[in-house]
Amino acid sequence: MSITLSILYLIATVTFVVGLKMLGHPETAKKGNLTSAIGMGVAIVGTILLAEKEVPTIIYILIGSAIAVGGIIGWIIAIKVEMTKMPELVSLFNGFGGASALLIGIVEFNKNIGVDSSEKASISIIATIIAAIIIGSITFTGSLVAWAKLNGSMNDIRFPKYNLINNILFIGLVAFATYIAVLNTDSAILMYGLLAASLVYGFLFVVPIGGADMPVVISLLNSLTGIAAAITGILYNNMVMLVGGILVGSAGLILTFAMCKAMNRSLASVIFGAFGGADVAAGSGSTVGGTVKKTSASDSAVLLNYSDNVVIVPGYGLAVAQAQHVIHELEELLTSKGVNVKYAIHPVAGRMPGHMNVLLAESNVDYDKLVEMDDINPSFPNTDVVLVVGANDVVNPAAHNDPSSPIYGMPILDVENAKHIIVNKRSMKPGYAGIENELFFNQKTNMLFGDAKDALTELVSELKNM
Amino acid sequence: MDQFLEFISSNLQLFYILILAIFIGFELIKNVPTVLHTPLMSGANALSGVVIVGAILVMLQSNPEDYLALSLGFIAVVLGIINVVGGFAVTDRMLQMFKKKK
């Protein structure tokens, strides 16, 4: 590697660290993203122009056209995507990164070990290549499944004993990989077998996971893509890949832990255990009874109009209905009538961490009005009306008072302490894993059924007439 | 086992960097407010596109007659660059929304 290229890689590595640091603060985030992007550009251009050996022109042309094609596709996707679709997009890009790593693994396997190799590679190189193939494959199919589930084209599929099956497959995968590495085989069939097994595992790993658990899965897959990139970096002894990949890997892991904490799960139970599984739901024997009070948009409007303090709790239903603009309109209208309105943001509301913040930012909601869970919980007893829009598990009191509930112990928004509660939902259908929500049967709760966008629009027009 | 130890000792520098990078990653992200989690994730996602450097190296080192390696490398570069360009661009778009309010 030429000295110039090494220095360029060093610069790129520094921009990654600095950029990621800046991305963590609201004022510098945009510059941080740009800094990393420039560093990435430097690394890419440097790699192409400062190649060690003589490279035929045709290869340069191929690389150039690959970058042009992919760059344009990436740009168009990024410009066109709706903000409600961010979780899908991140999953899709994750899958691409993973696929890229696995393709590199295949080529290097052929070159170092398989048919094209002249001498036997060392066990460490084989292990590295195999790790790249396995992690790249799991990330690839796992992310594609996550993407398909998020955009609604695939439902949760739960086989009986799927946990057992997945765990056996995982152990088998590790054993198989060790076998190939120790055997120092040049058999391409074994490698493709491993590839297929990894792809299947990635698929099965995400398939049973329910929608509400997606934030954890997405950040875990994000972390895995980083690790896959870092492993290919080890293969090429390439520092920018190694450091860049590891940064993403550990950052993703931190977010994964944060999400786990917000849902009161351990990471081990996420990977190997009952993860939003039917087994757990069956354990919650307590059924919630009582009558549900239905309300109308006009009654809700009256209630909201004569309140002093209103808290809005947005959830995934808001994103599905694309109701982020209407809710902002409602909030502004109420504020103009002298009502104090805030939004309560649960860490795992939506389908990826911080999803609600992005949506509300898109519709220009004031940053100061978004209050995090720990800060808003003490103020619920002084709140006149809580308006829950498309959220369910994050406001379920069972987390506090039903030890048999799968979500028992999960930190929630204590909306039941408010004086009145209005819940907007499409139907009485429970959230993930079929947990009933006793909040809906609470004396203080009024159910406003309907699509979030339609219901809120009606609410806004009722308020305007007052 | 010997081979493994040899691998570590001959790549000692690599392992120092690996371990330090893990800690830097943890420290950088530890106290990020919830509001930035989504942009952070998509920004980090773009960074993991650094795997494209490996994909380019695959193509650069391939024999022009090795169609399998070249086509796999080509797909890897396309997917990698989509990850990079798309990831950075969408993060920028998202952060733009956060910014315009102030």
Side-chain angles (χ1 to χ4, degrees):
Chain A
M1 193 186 298
S2 74
I3 293 176
T4 327
L5 187 54
S6 305
I7 292 173
L8 289 183
Y9 280 162
L10 180 64
I11 295 172
T13 308
V14 173
T15 66
F16 289 176
V17 175
V18 174
L20 205 54
K21 172 85 190 158
M22 290 165 82
L23 205 52
H25 298 277
E27 311 83 48
T28 53
K30 204 167 145 60
K31 270 189 202 148
N33 184 53
L34 202 63
T35 309
S36 307
I38 292 170
M40 185 70 80
V42 168
I44 292 173
V45 173
T47 310
I48 298 171
L49 297 183
L50 299 169
E52 281 165 76
K53 53 165 196 168
E54 202 68 16
V55 175
T57 321
I58 177 74
I59 288 187
Y60 280 121
I61 294 173
L62 281 175
I63 293 177
S65 39
I67 287 182
V69 170
I72 292 169
I73 296 174
W75 184 263
I76 292 174
I77 297 177
I79 296 302
K80 294 229 157 153
V81 69
E82 285 165 12
M83 282 298 133
T84 47
K85 303 251 183 260
M86 274 313 297
E88 282 102 307
L89 187 73
V90 170
S91 300
L92 193 64
F93 285 166
N94 251 335
F96 289 173
S100 193
L102 98 86
L103 291 171
I104 295 170
I106 295 174
V107 175
E108 289 300 324
F109 184 92
N110 288 336
K111 205 188 287 177
N112 287 289
I113 306 156
V115 281
D116 303 342
S117 68
S118 44
E119 56 188 276
K120 286 281 182 185
S122 75
I123 188 168
S124 46
I125 291 186
I126 301 177
T128 315
I129 292 173
I130 287 174
I133 293 178
I134 293 179
I135 299 183
S137 312
I138 293 177
T139 320
F140 175 54
T141 45
S143 300
L144 287 191
V145 172
W147 170 75
K149 290 177 75 154
L150 284 166
N151 71 19
S153 45
M154 184 192 262
N155 293 321
D156 305 353
I157 304 167
R158 294 200 179 99
F159 312 106
K161 302 272 176 236
Y162 81 91
N163 274 327
L164 192 66
I165 296 172
N166 274 5
N167 292 346
I168 290 173
L169 189 64
F170 182 77
I171 294 166
L173 204 57
V174 173
F176 193 18
T178 318
Y179 174 73
I180 294 182
V182 172
L183 202 64
N184 201 347
T185 176
D186 57 358
S187 157
I189 293 173
L190 280 183
M191 188 269 289
Y192 284 114
L194 187 71
L195 174 69
S198 310
L199 291 171
V200 170
Y201 180 73
F203 182 85
L204 291 178
F205 164 58
V206 182
V207 153
I209 293 170
D213 293 330
M214 275 300 163
V216 183
V217 181
I218 295 177
S219 42
L220 190 64
L221 289 170
N222 201 20
S223 173
L224 280 179
T225 327
I227 293 170
I231 290 171
T232 42
I234 296 178
L235 202 56
Y236 295 107
N237 209 355
N238 183 310
M239 292 309 148
V240 74
M241 290 175 74
L242 178 71
V243 177
I246 286 295
L247 285 178
V248 179
S250 54
L253 215 51
I254 283 262
L255 281 179
T256 310
F257 282 130
M259 295 311 112
C260 286
K261 206 174 146 205
M263 304 181 77
N264 194 39
R265 290 174 187 284
S266 71
L267 187 59
S269 80
V270 169
I271 302 173
F272 298 109
F275 194 38
D279 309 355
V280 184
S284 73
S286 68
T287 46
V288 188
T291 46
V292 170
K293 275 192 288 180
K294 271 171 77 174
T295 186
S296 65
S298 55
D299 289 346
S300 306
V302 172
L303 194 58
L304 288 168
N305 196 25
Y306 295 105
S307 304
D308 294 324
N309 293 303
V310 170
V311 173
I312 299 173
V313 179
Y316 188 57
L318 180 89
V320 172
Q322 300 269 359
Q324 68 269 38
H325 299 286
V326 195
I327 202 142
H328 179 48
E329 202 185 340
L330 177 73
E331 167 231 315
E332 280 189 317
L333 194 59
L334 286 171
T335 308
S336 73
K337 289 170 180 284
V339 184
N340 177 18
V341 188
K342 295 251 187 271
Y343 295 87
I345 309 292
H346 191 279
V348 292
R351 287 294 181 271
M352 84 186 281
H355 191 187
M356 289 302 127
N357 302 81
V358 173
L359 287 189
L360 295 172
E362 187 194 7
S363 57
N364 276 329
V365 171
D366 199 355
Y367 186 89
D368 303 329
K369 289 194 181 291
L370 308 182
V371 190
E372 294 191 15
M373 180 172 64
D374 294 338
D375 299 325
I376 199 136
N377 266 345
S379 67
F380 278 118
N382 300 321
T383 303
D384 299 305
V385 183
V386 170
L387 178 60
V388 179
V389 184
N392 189 347
D393 295 327
V394 298
V395 294
N396 192 340
H400 284 321
N401 48 30
D402 179 8
S404 70
S405 170
I407 61 164
Y408 182 68
M410 167 174 156
I412 56 159
L413 293 161
D414 301 322
V415 298
E416 77 270 19
N417 295 339
K419 290 174 191 133
H420 298 276
I421 304 153
I422 301 173
V423 177
N424 168 240
K425 261 173 80 58
R426 270 194 298 206
S427 68
M428 280 304 288
K429 198 171 156 274
Y432 94 95
I435 310 168
E436 286 286 357
N437 193 338
E438 69 182 75
L439 182 76
F440 304 155
F441 303 96
N442 191 310
Q443 288 284 314
K444 296 186 282 189
T445 305
N446 290 301
M447 302 297 292
L448 180 62
F449 289 113
D451 172 82
K453 196 172 186 175
D454 300 341
L456 291 174
T457 312
E458 210 181 325
L459 206 52
V460 166
S461 60
E462 290 285 348
L463 272 169
K464 275 185 182 155
N465 295 333
M466 279 182 192
Chain B
M1 196 61 196
D2 285 347
Q3 268 186 324
F4 181 65
L5 288 176
E6 196 191 306
F7 176 65
I8 291 188
S9 66
S10 59
N11 291 290
L12 210 52
Q13 218 187 352
L14 198 73
F15 284 93
Y16 273 105
I17 294 172
L18 182 78
I19 290 162
L20 291 178
I22 293 173
F23 279 100
I24 294 178
F26 274 116
E27 289 301 316
L28 285 178
I29 306 306
K30 220 167 58 182
N31 293 317
V32 174
T34 319
V35 52
L36 282 175
H37 279 172
T38 295
L40 183 74
M41 202 176 258
S42 83
N45 185 235
L47 274 190
S48 65
V50 74
V51 70
I52 190 184
V53 170
I56 294 172
L57 288 175
V58 161
M59 292 191 76
L60 287 174
Q61 292 166 4
S62 296
N63 188 324
E65 266 90 62
D66 188 352
Y67 297 121
L68 179 67
L70 271 183
S71 29
L72 292 181
F74 186 88
I75 301 170
V77 172
V78 171
L79 294 176
I81 198 81
I82 292 179
N83 191 176
V84 169
V85 173
F88 282 122
V90 84
T91 309
D92 188 72
R93 219 185 113 197
M94 227 183 313
L95 292 168
Q96 187 67 38
M97 289 170 184
F98 283 119
K99 218 178 167 189
K100 67 187 173 190
K101 301 186 302 281
K102 286 274 160 176

